[in-house]
Amino acid sequence: MENKFKKNGVGYLFAITLLLLSSSFTNLAKRPSNEKIIKDYYAAYEKKDWNMLAPLLADGFTFTSPNDDHIDLKAYKERCWPNSANIKRFDIDKLIVKGDDAFVTYNGWTNDGRVFRNTEYFKFKEGKILENACFFGPGISFPNNKEK
């Protein structure tokens, strides 16, 4: 009798382990790709929808640019998000994703037809953006820049 319990107990334990593992893999499979997260990030700016952007950002998110040094989410929303009002669209030129790191080069278009070209580095953690470092290229640097 004791032998059967040990046999069945191990079998039950094995079955439970398989169930848990398959559940974890299913959750990973449901997670959007880092490429999709980046595209959704820019789409949120185009749609001017903070509620679309916020869930993409990890706890501890930081943003860096020539004007900002690892600012937190609160400062990012106050200083950078207002740029969305002046953005018409992003045309992604290059998007390279390797694991939890990505580089994007794009042309951004303002509502009044001006163009800016930037490259951004993204660092992901558990399917969310942990860091974004923006490197300004030629053009107007950032959408709220009033210089022509």
Side-chain angles (χ1 to χ4, degrees), residues 16-83:
I16 290 170
T17 303
L18 282 177
L19 270 172
L20 290 172
L21 284 174
S22 69
S23 171
S24 295
F25 288 126
T26 301
N27 288 338
L28 284 176
K30 290 180 184 177
R31 181 187 291 173
S33 70
N34 290 343
E35 181 175 338
K36 177 161 179 13
I37 292 167
I38 289 171
K39 289 179 179 179
D40 288 349
Y41 176 91
Y42 294 115
Y45 268 87
E46 291 174 345
K47 294 177 181 179
K48 292 117 183 78
D49 186 349
W50 178 257
N51 293 323
M52 183 179 174
L53 181 69
L56 304 175
L57 307 177
D59 288 338
F61 169 82
T62 61
F63 177 79
T64 301
S65 78
N67 299 330
D68 309 284
D69 185 14
H70 293 89
I71 61 174
D72 66 10
L73 182 59
K74 182 178 183 241
Y76 174 77
K77 185 176 182 184
E78 291 169 1
R79 294 174 63 174
C80 303
W81 180 248
N83 284 309

Side-chain angles (χ1 to χ4, degrees), residues 82-145:
N83 284 309
S84 67
N86 295 320
I87 291 175
K88 182 175 182 178
R89 77 174 193 273
F90 290 96
D91 295 330
I92 295 175
D93 185 29
K94 298 280 185 221
L95 173 54
I96 301 166
V97 178
K98 185 171 182 181
D100 284 338
D101 297 291
F103 283 94
V104 182
T105 298
Y106 59 81
N107 288 323
W109 296 88
T110 64
N111 294 329
D112 61 0
R114 295 181 296 153
V115 66
F116 58 101
R117 184 172 176 84
N118 295 338
T119 294
E120 298 191 23
Y121 164 73
F122 289 88
K123 178 76 175 169
F124 294 88
K125 180 181 177 188
E126 298 173 358
K128 294 189 175 201
I129 300 168
L130 180 62
E131 299 174 24
N132 177 359
C134 182
F135 304 92
F136 297 157
I140 61 170
S141 298
F142 55 96
N144 284 346
N145 186 352

